Amino acid sequence: MPLDDELMRNQTETASDPAGSSAERAGVMREEQRNNSDGSQSSDLRSARISAMRKEKSGLKGQLATEQKSLSFETSKLLQSAWRSLIPSFGTSFLYVYVHLFLQQIFGKKLFAPLGEEWLDRPNITIKARERMSRWLKILENFGVGCLSIVLLIAIIFAFAVPALIVEVVTNPLRTFMKTILEGIWSFLSGQ
């Protein structure tokens, strides 16, 4: 039988095949595999073994994520020194606290410890253990950062307001004097 006739015969057998073309058969097979992997028992040993390996791998990934070692010991020392030198540096070391918080958002808790956790950070400690040990320090230090931020904002406003007032008095002394006198008289007359 010539090759052409044999190829034509195979095509007609495939067309008359109840499962259809090879693409349709592959689609049916994939659908069956999806249905089996959704929770029902797999019919063959190989697919059961693959699903068991996937479950084990995902379990190990979850365990590794919770048991990651902290690499933030050195950056924690920097944050501690920024807190310790806050008064001698007149608040400029507080800028490192903001830089540390920014870098923590970028690189994560593994390299930059959250506020409050830097005091109990040690080499080769897990992230979970570090969080558990310093739970109460987090609240205290976050509150401190908020209060210091407000104080620094007020100090910056005051630092710019005093020179602006001096410049105003120097550039327009008569207008400033008259405005002050008129406001004083008005407050005296109105009883405020």
Side-chain angles (χ1 to χ4, degrees), residues 90-184:
F90 298 106
T92 56
S93 67
F94 193 66
L95 291 175
Y96 178 74
V97 175
Y98 288 129
V99 169
H100 186 90
L101 288 173
F102 176 72
L103 292 174
Q104 178 193 350
Q105 294 299 317
I106 294 173
F107 296 110
K109 294 179 181 180
K110 188 174 182 180
L111 295 175
F112 292 90
L115 292 178
E117 292 183 9
E118 77 271 8
W119 300 105
L120 301 174
D121 200 7
R122 295 188 303 268
N124 294 326
I125 190 172
T126 62
I127 295 172
K128 197 172 195 177
R130 183 183 68 197
E131 287 175 357
R132 193 173 45 248
M133 288 188 319
S134 61
R135 202 172 285 155
W136 63 276
L137 282 171
K138 282 175 136 178
I139 297 168
L140 184 66
E141 195 161 332
N142 284 325
F143 180 73
V145 167
C147 290
L148 282 175
S149 296
I150 292 171
V151 167
L152 284 176
L153 179 68
I154 291 170
I156 289 170
I157 291 172
F158 185 72
F160 284 114
V162 170
L165 182 62
I166 291 172
V167 167
E168 176 66 26
V169 168
V170 169
T171 57
N172 298 320
L174 187 59
R175 185 177 71 177
T176 308
F177 178 73
M178 292 302 290
K179 186 177 177 182
T180 307
I181 295 295
L182 289 176
E183 284 178 359

